[in-house]
Amino acid sequence: MATEINSVTTNTQTVVVKLGTSVLTGGSLALNKAHMVELVRQCAELKKLGHSVVIVSSGAIAAGREHLDYPALPNSMASKQLLAAVGQSQLIQVWESLFAIYGLKIGQMLLTRADLDDRERFLNARDTINALVNHDIIPIVNENDAVATTEIKVGDNDNLSALVGILCGADKLLLLTDQRGLFTADPRKDPNAELIREVTTIDETLRKIAGGSGTTLGTGGMATKLQAADIARRAGIEVIIAAGSAENVIFDALSEQPQGTRFLPLAEALENRKRWILAGPAATGDIVIDKGAVNAVIGKGSSLLAKGVVSVSGHFSRGDVVRVTTLDGALIARGICGYSDSDLAKISGKHSNEISALLGYDYGSEVIHRDDMVVIQD
């Protein structure tokens, strides 16, 4: 190789590698198999050193379009599902043949949001991916676009890769894209934009810098990568955004000098139940709380009581996951609500000892117990 390879950590780790469509096609309309085999070579090098590798692969629709000789199809969900149904088998055959060069076996996992919403299905998916890893088989994960509807889609493979990282207890998540990392401004428009090497806090300023979508080939841009990084780092996973075309980018991810932008994990990783609350079910409603409740939840680590609830929106049942926001609309937590939206509307702003009289029953004083809550704030 022209460039000296950095030495990687000797501690065995599990790394999730997310490969976007733009990386797999090199910006063209077809899979770039020459580059894909180079990515596979780097994964094989990590495997030789005892590390575990999980691949989250985009490219099914691009592979389907290529296999069908770029048909003229209407821009509809059915057309995308047709291309995904054809392309998924083509894509997995390519991965299988390339990893076979290095004597490595792969296993395919197709997921939808529904597989993560339900706690039992979440645990089943976790057990499957861990079984593959433990038997030295490389999981190739993708969203099941051939059957997924808008309601059950994760939506992009950046966020899917963060959820996969949580499923397999990853140490690192590598988001490979067509950019070198996160910059202080859009490098395609601003020649003075500088690469941000390390991030310890994700705030609104950083989200504005991330901007919108990237290429037209995929569904995710830098904004979705930032969302994925925020989810993963809260689960104790280090995240790296880097260019998929860079030499040895996968291998270097486990070195002391990884390429791209590095997001450090939070010091206290979430326990398994809270990881599911963060990564699993989509929130079905919002609970707005007052300043006193915000201080109690964030500053004191308290449960959320009805007294601190100002208003409720959306429709949810007891046991559903909801968002908790401030009066200004800032998201501060996600949690499993102990009351339905209709019940909560009746007891909002009331003391705990009034709940039974207002409802005719009560499920306890906590609207959201601390053990069922994930605070979304650094």
Side-chain angles (χ1 to χ4, degrees), residues 182 196-203 206 226 233 261-265:
L182 183 62
I196 301 173
R197 299 293 305 182
E198 189 170 279
V199 174
T200 57
T201 301
I202 296 177
D203 53 20
L206 208 60
L226 204 61
R233 61 194 287 272
T261 302
R262 183 182 195 180
F263 295 78
L264 299 182

Side-chain angles (χ1 to χ4, degrees), residues 105-124:
K105 304 294 185 182
I106 67 167
Q108 183 181 38
M109 283 188 68
L110 298 176
L111 298 173
T112 67
R113 167 63 69 181
D115 296 312
L116 304 173
D117 280 0
D118 180 78
R119 175 69 172 164
E120 184 175 355
R121 291 174 69 174
F122 178 92
L123 294 175
N124 287 339

Side-chain angles (χ1 to χ4, degrees), residues 144-166:
N144 195 354
D145 289 321
V147 300
T149 61
T150 302
E151 291 76 18
I152 64 171
K153 282 179 68 66
V154 175
D156 62 86
N157 275 357
D158 292 320
N159 279 291
L160 178 63
S161 66
L163 306 185
V164 169
I166 291 174

